[in-house]
Amino acid sequence: MWLRLQRMLVWRHRTIAAKRAVFSFLVSASALYLFLGFTSTTWETVTYKYNVDLDSLRNCSDIISTQELFPNSIPPLVHWTSKSGRVPAKLVPIVRSWRLLLNIRINNSRNFSAGDQLALLKSNNLQDFGTGNGSITNGSNKDVDSFSTDRWHFMHWDDKQISELISKHYPYLVQSYRKLVNGLERSDIGRLVVLHHVGGLYVDTDVELLRDPTPLLRPSQLQEAGLTPNFDCESAVWSQEPIEHAAFPFDLPALISNAVMMSRANHSFLSFVLTNWPPWFEQNWAKKRGRKSIDAVHVTGPVMLQKFYKKYTALKQSDRPADWCGNMLAEPGAFHPLNDVAYVPKRLKTACAKPEKLSKLQKQFCSPLTISNLELKQIPNTSYTVHKFMHLSYRENNFSNSIRISSIVPIFRCKV
């Protein structure tokens, strides 16, 4: 009897201790929830509201891509893509930089810097998209049929929209697109499709805007704009990776980038890539199992684009389309003035420790001074953007602290 009573007391003591532990856990969890909730609410207090009935919208291509609206320029559209329309909270200031510097009428535009724009905002001398509480004013989010051509618009495309766009307008891509194995591969093809379909400026969500890019909408008229010396294209501008990225590990003197690219709709280079990529993919990559996100650079990203760019620019005179461009590249510093400092210096130090395995091109980067200068490199005042190289797409997870992109910038919408 005494032993039984002793066991009951021990059990009661353990139960009380367990309850206390559970209570402490719940209090801690509640505090954490309130903190995260407050953080999320703080970010999402500004939500741009729309009164447009999406079912009544006309097709994007009918409204935006017509030559009547943009006969002589790239359309003033900024495109982002993501899995579900949300971006990690750490990217909010970067995405917001585009609204800050492009919150102007195009016909009143000049080369605004971030400092200029902040001064204008503080002085209230800027024609703003919205009111102080974040709602859209009349004229900034008109019905799609009265799409304004004198200001920049922001568009976002999630995986569902891109899949629908491909199914409806690019049926020749469907089979190969369904064989892509991760979000980064799908995003790489999706951004090309979006740019081909409606035109504009595509940027990764970790690319920050530093300077008004409006003059680049008509690049052939621009002088000393950070374009390559023999630039000869009126209808597209493509960024290049930093030269260190091209050399390591690809051993290339230059590498086109798909993190920042501008083009008119239906541009011949995009048509060339999208038409030739499916058979190339089926032959070289479709049957390879176990591809990782990092392999996307070869399958759908810059290395793939570099191959097709080389073939496109080498087309015979008789095979060249009307809008063919022999050089549509900007200097690396125009859009990617800094290299990936979390990767490149370490990679160089490791590779340069075994110079016998390096090419002549790669050995040029192996001096201690060159490696140390990579980490000290400054952004020139001629750069339009800076790529932060956060590699968030490689992680393929659901970010617990993420923000709707429509809470950061006003998203223009139309039917696929």
Side-chain angles (χ1 to χ4, degrees):
M1 183 70 178
W2 170 248
L3 182 60
R4 184 178 181 183
L5 179 61
Q6 188 177 23
R7 288 177 177 174
M8 290 178 64
L9 289 173
V10 170
W11 179 83
R12 182 181 180 188
H13 175 74
R14 290 178 177 175
T15 302
I16 293 173
K19 288 182 177 179
R20 287 176 177 172
V22 171
F23 178 76
S24 299
F25 172 79
L26 290 175
V27 170
S28 300
S30 298
L32 181 60
Y33 176 80
L34 289 173
F35 172 76
L36 291 177
F38 174 77
T39 303
S40 177
T41 303
T42 302
W43 282 115
E44 297 198 287
T45 50
V46 179
T47 301
Y48 300 99
K49 299 180 180 179
Y50 298 86
N51 297 318
V52 178
D53 179 8
L54 293 183
D55 291 333
S56 67
L57 297 182
R58 292 171 54 194
N59 293 330
C60 299
S61 58
D62 293 341
I63 301 162
I64 302 170
S65 300
T66 58
Q67 291 299 316
E68 290 79 10
L69 285 178
F70 305 104
N72 300 309
S73 72
I74 297 169
L77 295 165
V78 178
H79 301 280
W80 291 280
T81 63
S82 72
K83 182 177 180 180
S84 59
R86 303 183 71 88
V87 295
K90 64 174 66 176
L91 295 182
V92 169
I94 297 176
V95 175
R96 187 173 286 149
S97 69
W98 290 85
R99 172 172 170 81
L100 179 64
L101 268 74
L102 296 184
N103 203 8
I104 52 177
R105 294 284 184 181
I106 288 177
N107 51 12
N108 293 333
S109 174
R110 59 184 176 88
N111 281 334
F112 286 117
S113 67
D116 293 332
Q117 196 75 344
L118 283 171
L120 283 169
L121 287 171
K122 290 178 181 178
S123 65
N124 293 321
N125 289 329
L126 192 64
Q127 296 182 14
D128 196 2
F129 276 132
T131 61
N133 62 5
S135 62
I136 297 299
T137 57
N138 291 333
S140 62
N141 187 51
K142 298 178 181 178
D143 187 275
V144 178
D145 287 330
S146 54
F147 177 81
S148 175
T149 60
D150 65 347
R151 66 165 70 251
W152 284 86
H153 296 269
F154 307 103
M155 302 189 73
H156 173 270
W157 306 77
D158 60 29
D159 283 0
K160 182 179 178 181
Q161 290 172 307
I162 290 174
S163 294
E164 184 180 359
L165 181 62
I166 291 174
S167 296
K168 285 187 176 181
H169 301 282
Y170 301 86
Y172 60 89
L173 289 174
V174 170
Q175 181 178 351
S176 297
Y177 182 78
R178 288 175 178 171
K179 294 179 182 178
L180 300 179
V181 297
N182 55 64
L184 188 53
E185 289 183 354
R186 289 187 287 271
S187 173
D188 283 344
I189 296 301
R191 68 189 66 178
L192 299 178
V193 169
V194 165
L195 208 57
H196 182 269
H197 191 61
V198 297
L201 164 61
Y202 168 85
V203 290
D204 282 352
T205 51
D206 61 349
V207 172
E208 182 179 357
L209 183 62
L210 303 176
R211 191 157 69 102
D212 175 21
T214 300
L216 291 174
L217 296 177
R218 303 186 71 177
S220 64
Q221 298 185 5
L222 208 56
Q223 300 294 326
E224 299 179 1
L227 307 178
T228 48
N230 56 342
F231 183 91
D232 66 354
C233 194
E234 188 177 338
S235 49
V237 181
W238 285 69
S239 64
Q240 291 190 84
E241 294 283 344
I243 55 175
E244 300 85 5
H245 293 193
F248 291 90
F250 308 115
D251 197 19
L252 294 171
L255 183 63
I256 198 170
S257 172
N258 66 348
V260 181
M261 45 193 180
M262 304 177 67
S263 174
R264 295 186 191 178
N266 302 304
H267 192 276
S268 59
F269 174 58
L270 288 166
S271 298
F272 184 84
V273 173
L274 293 174
T275 302
N276 288 283
W277 174 77
W280 175 86
F281 169 78
E282 295 293 337
Q283 181 179 354
N284 294 281
W285 291 100
K287 296 180 180 180
K288 291 187 178 181
R289 304 299 179 185
R291 294 199 310 271
K292 299 179 181 179
S293 293
I294 198 170
D295 296 323
V297 67
H298 298 279
V299 183
T300 54
V303 175
M304 178 275 290
L305 285 172
Q306 186 69 35
K307 292 179 184 294
F308 285 115
Y309 181 76
K310 186 176 181 179
K311 293 180 179 179
Y312 170 83
T313 54
L315 286 174
K316 297 179 180 179
Q317 183 76 36
S318 58
D319 296 332
R320 295 174 183 176
D323 64 345
W324 178 86
C325 297
N327 186 352
M328 62 185 82
L329 300 179
E331 295 285 3
F335 297 105
H336 303 298
L338 302 181
N339 63 73
D340 184 354
V341 294
Y343 166 78
V344 172
K346 182 179 179 181
R347 171 88 184 185
L348 280 177
K349 290 177 183 177
T350 301
C352 293
K354 299 179 180 179
E356 68 277 3
K357 295 185 177 181
L358 300 180
S359 69
K360 183 178 179 180
L361 171 67
Q362 292 172 328
K363 288 179 181 178
Q364 298 176 15
F365 297 93
C366 283
S367 72
L369 182 61
T370 300
I371 295 175
S372 62
N373 285 343
L374 292 177
E375 299 174 340
L376 301 174
K377 193 174 181 180
Q378 300 295 312
I379 302 174
N381 58 13
T382 54
S383 297
Y384 288 96
T385 66
V386 59
H387 193 180
K388 299 302 182 72
F389 294 108
M390 293 186 175
H391 302 300
L392 297 176
S393 297
Y394 286 84
R395 299 172 188 173
E396 294 237 353
N397 56 359
N398 294 320
F399 299 99
S400 57
N401 191 12
S402 61
I403 312 299
R404 294 193 308 272
I405 195 168
S406 58
S407 298
I408 310 169
V409 295
I411 298 298
F412 175 83
R413 298 183 289 182
C414 52
K415 282 171 47 173
V416 170

